[in-house]
Amino acid sequence: MTEYLLLQALNGLIIGLIYALMALGLTLIFSVLKIVNFAHGELYMLGAYFSYYLAKLFGFPPVLAVLSSMIIVFFIGVVIEVLFLRPVYTGAVERKDEYAILITFGLSIFLQNLALFVFGPWTRRSPSFMSGTTSVYSLSISNDRLFVSALAVVFMIATLVIIGRTFMGKGLRAVSQDREAAAIAGINPFKMNLLAFGAGSALAAAGGALIGPIFLIFPTMGAMPVIKSFVIIVLGGMGSIKGCIIASLILGEAESLGSVLFPDLTRGLAYKNAIGLLFLVVVLLVKPTGLFGEKHVRMK
C-alpha cells in the first residue's frame, strides 16, 4: 500500500507540473490584460494537435515538435489579441469586462468546433519522448512521464527568469501593476498585451503538447484542464505567479492521493475532478483571497 501511495504521489506531482504550465499562462494573461481567457483550453488543445502532426507528418523530433507548436500557438495568440482583444484597450467598446468574457467564450466554442471539423472526433496519441521505464527502489514509472516533468520544469524556470530578470519582464510587471504609469515611463502597454497573450498561449500549448504522449488528444481535451486552471489561479491568489505554481502542485497531489484514499476506490476515481473544487472551497472559507492573494483593480 505504501508503494502504491508513493507512486500516486509521483503521478500527482507530474500532473501538477502540467497544470502549472497551463495555469501560469492563464495567470500571465490575467495579470497584464486583466481578462479571463475562456479560450485558454482550446490553445492547450491546439498545442497538442500541432505537436502531434509535426511529429507524425513531418518527422519532427518530439521535443522540436513541442517547441514548434509553442511558436505556432504564440502567433495564434498574437492574432487573437490584435483582432479580438485590442478593442478593449482602444476605447472601441463600452462594456469592457463583458466584451472580453463573451469574445473569449465565443472563441472557445469556435476553436472546439473548428478542431472537430479539421481533425475529426477520433483520439490520437503523440509519439513517445523516451521509451521504457525507470525504477527507483520498488517504484517503476515511465520515462515519458519523467521527461515531461523535466521539460515542464525547464519551461517554468525559463518563464520565471524572463519575467523576473529581463527588461521585457519588467515591462510586463509594470503594466500589470499600473498601465497608465507604465505608459508614462515609456513602456508601450499594447506591446506588453501582445507579448503577454502570446506567451500565455504558448505556455498553454506547451502543456497540451507535453501531455500528448501520456494521455489522448481530442478536440474537447482542453475543457477540464481550463476549469482546473481557473481553480488554480483562484486558489493560489489571482495574479500571483508563485501562488499559481504552488496551487498547481497541491491540486495535482490532492486529486491523485484523494482518489486512492477515498473509502470506495471506484467512487474515488469518479470524484477525482471534484476534489480540487472541494479543496478550493475550504481554502477560500479560511482565506478568501487565496493562498498568496494580491490586490488587483478592475479593467479601466
Side-chain angles (χ1 to χ4, degrees):
M1 182 63 178
T2 303
E3 294 175 1
Y4 182 63
L5 288 176
L6 288 174
L7 184 60
Q8 290 303 312
L10 188 56
N11 285 330
L13 176 62
I14 294 168
I15 297 300
L17 290 171
I18 299 298
Y19 287 166
L21 267 184
M22 192 171 180
L24 186 57
L26 196 60
T27 298
L28 182 59
I29 292 171
F30 174 79
S31 297
V32 178
L33 281 77
K34 299 296 186 292
I35 66 170
V36 177
N37 178 23
F38 286 97
H40 203 66
E42 282 55 56
L43 298 170
Y44 168 91
M45 173 267 296
L46 288 177
Y49 271 111
F50 286 137
S51 178
Y52 169 82
Y53 281 110
L54 287 171
K56 281 287 188 178
L57 297 183
F58 299 100
F60 281 38
V63 175
L64 182 59
V66 171
L67 295 174
S68 300
S69 70
M70 291 174 66
I71 294 171
I72 294 171
V73 177
F74 174 89
F75 285 108
I76 291 175
V78 166
V79 171
I80 290 173
E81 198 279 333
V82 172
L83 293 182
F84 301 108
L85 298 177
R86 185 63 58 87
V88 171
Y89 305 95
T90 58
V93 294
E94 293 183 3
R95 302 175 70 88
K96 300 179 180 180
D97 290 343
E98 291 85 348
Y99 172 84
I101 291 172
L102 290 173
I103 200 69
T104 57
F105 190 73
L107 277 170
S108 170
I109 296 173
F110 171 76
L111 290 174
Q112 270 193 28
N113 285 276
L114 180 64
L116 188 62
F117 174 76
V118 174
F119 305 125
W122 305 281
T123 58
R124 294 173 172 82
R125 190 185 297 274
S126 295
S128 175
F129 289 108
M130 186 181 295
S131 60
T133 60
T134 296
S135 297
V136 180
Y137 296 106
S138 56
L139 299 179
S140 181
I141 188 164
S142 71
N143 290 332
D144 254 343
R145 292 181 178 242
L146 294 176
F147 193 80
V148 162
S149 302
L151 273 183
V153 171
V154 168
F155 288 147
M156 280 190 288
I157 291 175
T159 302
L160 294 176
V161 169
I162 290 171
I163 292 174
R165 297 183 176 273
T166 66
F167 178 78
M168 190 165 49
K170 291 178 181 178
L172 289 171
R173 285 184 283 128
V175 172
S176 73
Q177 293 172 12
D178 193 318
R179 179 175 297 272
E180 293 180 358
I184 293 171
I187 298 170
N188 188 331
F190 294 111
K191 288 184 179 179
M192 293 300 107
N193 285 353
L194 201 68
L195 180 61
F197 200 88
S201 300
L203 287 171
L210 290 179
I211 212 72
I214 300 175
F215 298 108
L216 296 175
I217 300 171
F218 51 95
T220 57
M221 64 180 287
M224 188 55 68
V226 77
I227 292 174
K228 293 180 180 180
S229 294
F230 293 143
V231 170
I232 287 166
I233 63 173
V234 175
L235 178 62
M238 298 288 280
S240 171
I241 291 178
K242 176 176 68 174
C244 159
I245 295 173
I246 294 175
S248 299
L249 299 178
I250 290 174
L251 181 63
E253 293 293 353
E255 287 184 350
S256 186
L257 292 176
S259 61
V260 299
L261 292 175
F262 199 82
D264 185 339
L265 184 58
T266 56
R267 291 187 178 183
L269 293 173
Y271 295 152
K272 181 178 180 179
N273 291 325
I275 292 173
L277 295 175
L278 179 62
F279 190 75
L280 173 66
V281 170
V282 172
V283 171
L284 293 184
L285 286 173
V286 178
K287 198 171 188 298
T289 57
L291 297 175
F292 301 93
E294 298 175 358
K295 184 178 179 181
H296 285 273
V297 297
R298 285 171 60 87
M299 188 187 301
K300 295 182 180 179

